[in-house]
Amino acid sequence: MSAPTLTPENTLTPPVKRRIGALEATGHGLTLAKRNLRYVVRTPTTLIDTVIQPVLFLMVFVFLFGGAISGTWQGYLQTLVPGLMVQITMYASIGTGMALNTDISKGVFDRFRSLPIARSAPLVGAVLGDVVRYAVAVTVLLLLALALGFRVQTDPLSALLACVLVIVFGLTLCWFSVLIGMMVANPQAVPGVSMAVILPLTFGSNIFADPETMPRWLELWVGVNPVSHFVDTVRGLMIGGPVAGPLALSLVAVVLCHVILLPLALRAYLRRVR
Amino acid sequence: MTDVCIRASGLVKRFGHTTALDGVDLEVPTGSILGVLGPNGAGKTTMVRILATLAQPDQGSVHVAGHDALRDPVAVRGLIGLTGQYASVDEELTGRENLELIGQLLRLPGREWKTRARELVGRFDLTEAGERPVKTYSGGMRRRIDLAASLVGRPRVLYLDEPTTGLDPRSRGDLWQTVRDLAEEGTTVLLTTQYLEEADELADRITVIDHGRTVAGGTPAELKRTTGSQTLHVRTVDPADTDRVIGFLTELLDTEPALASDGVSISAPTDDPVLLSALVRRLDQEAVTTDELALRLPSLDDVFFSLTGRALPGDDHEEASA
């Protein structure tokens, strides 16, 4: 090939490296969060995860097992609802990893990467979109629970704080979901791997039954399971009971998860968006 | 002095023990179309991904319009549009929503993300389909929306990675016309293809790559000249005679001629003015009759064969129409 080796552009001083500011990056993230929400509304399966699942869990556990566990389903409803708030958030967090993995395998991710937008934007978009998803799931659960007779026994502010905590909990878990989403080959593999972790954490907790009725080894596990402390906190804030102790333990768990999971998740993510 | 828009030199990319690119160089003058020609697995897609900042080479450098793609990828992303089977649109959104999303991400001023999306669906004949989710699109519509998506930001440089693979002839023709129009408007285009016809039709210059290496480069006419001035084509009436004719030609030429994928068309490059008459005498002696016996200027297929020793995979576009 006989083209010249130097062009005027190259002989001049090199152009200034273009950086994307924090404000611009936030804008990109918000645009993609909106797109992810639209996706949730459009895709029946993700809508089912977000709306139908809490309804189903509540119905099955309250009416099917409520009487057997607590004597009356009405009594069980009061202790179950705060626990279910935590559980459905865990289930909803699976969606983060699935959405990111779907974007990667369908090539949407590469389209975004070829645009002059912040590297963080697809991740920020996925996570922000999920906050709304968690909020919708918790709201649906609470509305149905209220219709069935669930009553906040503390005060509205405490109940609101409980909801905020549940969303913080979801945001902690979503890093785990991001990590799985970056590691598995296809989106269908995300729920399976996630469930292997989520099931022992949810069912091996105080969400559904009193740990004192369990064998000693299981009771020990429930005692160290951070989900139990979260449930205790949310229960305390919504139906009364100790809050400070379980809240402190829950926050330790949140911080620990961030210290361990966040760097791993970000590393796995950055490896794919470099 | 020609203004070089895309320059890559010494690109090396390894995946584990496989070397996808083994020192590829290329230069694309501003406003021209470069065709990158090579069979499946030659390293074309890896190369485009590197040029589009989606992958980093292990060695070598890439400059796009004077920006270093490795040190300043954001600047390069601001100049390029990419259409390939990996850089895709969101199937759940409608065609128009996809274009609007990209316009919003590119921070087009005012309401331009809206007008630009409408303009592009119109240009690509997707005005009605633009209101439907992309997952309902046919293969041809899908390629058009992918191409439209890469044009939202009015890129100065456009990468098209096998843009017509699997398209029917009509869609392919339409897409070719669009690429020509874009080049006329001043866009620099780098197009990869496994179809010689496509490279011949569109490209100002062609780079042939094989096994991760640049094996030839030049204008289509220059490439055709590199194989010798003419090519001999033979096809026997009885397919059973094919092997005998290959034998005669091997004797006359001292090298084995090429057999096309149909199993009966034989071709061989030659500069020897007496070859044709020698072959005619031989065929007459042996009582072999032919359907076709001719000397022609070489096609790009012949060029590829003489450069790589292998025929290109079948040039028929209908094989995978979606």
Side-chain angles (χ1 to χ4, degrees), chain B:
Chain B
M1 197 155 114
T2 339
D3 192 6
V4 176
C5 180
I6 308 169
R7 181 204 317 280
S9 49
L11 289 185
V12 174
K13 179 73 176 176
R14 296 184 196 91
F15 298 103
H17 293 296
T18 334
T19 303
L21 295 180
D22 194 9
V24 168
D25 303 295
L26 58 84
E27 279 178 347
V28 191
T30 303
S32 72
I33 304 179
L34 176 76
V36 176
L37 183 65
N40 267 328
K44 302 190 296 290
T45 291
T46 306
M47 189 192 73
V48 175
R49 289 181 64 92
I50 289 172
L51 296 179
T53 76
L54 295 183
Q56 276 75 40
D58 295 318
Q59 284 169 44
S61 67
V62 178
H63 286 84
V64 179
H67 297 275
D68 185 330
L70 307 179
R71 285 180 39 227
D72 193 4
V74 177
V76 171
R77 286 171 198 158
L79 298 169
I80 62 169
L82 172 64
T83 302
Q85 276 152 38
Y86 37 90
S88 182
V89 296
D90 188 338
E91 295 186 338
E92 303 295 334
L93 299 183
T94 69
R96 185 175 48 78
E97 284 169 344
N98 266 297
L99 302 183
E100 288 179 355
L101 174 69
I102 292 169
Q104 284 176 308
L105 284 172
L106 293 172
R107 294 283 173 270
L108 296 185
R111 304 286 285 173
E112 210 195 315
W113 54 273
K114 244 186 153 67
T115 48
R116 180 73 177 148
R118 208 177 309 127
E119 183 186 315
L120 281 169
V121 290
R123 172 163 182 178
F124 285 94
D125 199 17
L126 291 167
T127 307
E128 272 167 53
E131 304 307 312
R132 295 206 317 261
V134 171
K135 63 182 171 194
T136 65
Y137 284 20
S138 69
M141 288 155 77
R142 186 61 204 254
R143 292 303 166 81
R144 297 210 296 278
I145 196 72
D146 279 338
L147 182 55
S150 62
L151 296 176
V152 174
R154 295 193 170 82
R156 281 165 57 189
V157 181
L158 185 62
Y159 299 125
L160 300 167
D161 193 9
E162 303 208 0
T164 63
T165 302
L167 284 191
D168 60 73
R170 202 187 72 101
S171 309
R172 186 165 38 115
D174 291 347
L175 202 131
W176 284 355
Q177 193 49 50
T178 309
V179 174
R180 282 190 205 104
D181 292 346
L182 285 166
E184 219 150 90
E185 291 163 23
T187 312
T188 306
V189 180
L190 183 143
L191 162 111
T192 76
T193 182
Q194 8 177 350
Y195 304 131
L196 289 154
E197 185 194 359
E198 187 159 284
D200 205 2
E201 190 78 29
L202 288 177
D204 299 311
R205 296 180 67 83
I206 294 174
T207 290
V208 183
I209 67 171
D210 191 37
H211 295 304
R213 283 207 189 90
T214 311
V215 292
T219 64
E222 279 166 5
L223 278 180
K224 286 174 188 172
R225 275 199 295 276
T226 60
T227 49
S229 53
Q230 288 180 314
T231 305
L232 178 75
H233 290 266
V234 193
R235 198 174 62 231
T236 58
V237 174
D238 182 355
D241 288 330
T242 306
D243 285 342
R244 292 172 65 204
V245 175
I246 290 177
F248 305 155
L249 276 169
T250 309
E251 272 173 46
L252 291 166
L253 289 160
D254 280 335
T255 63
E256 199 168 312
L259 184 63
S261 52
D262 62 9
V264 289
S265 304
I266 303 163
S267 63
T270 178
D271 286 321
D272 183 355
V274 299
L275 177 72
L276 186 63
S277 47
L279 182 66
V280 168
R281 276 197 304 276
R282 189 70 190 270
L283 292 173
D284 192 38
Q285 281 166 20
E286 307 279 342
V288 174
T289 46
T290 57
D291 275 341
E292 186 189 350
L293 179 59
L295 272 176
R296 291 200 205 116
L297 284 173
S299 72
L300 275 171
D301 277 297
D302 303 316
V303 175
F304 191 83
F305 181 82
S306 80
L307 289 169
T308 65
R310 286 180 295 121
L312 263 184
D315 214 15
D316 88 83
H317 294 271
E318 284 96 323
E319 58 187 345
S321 57

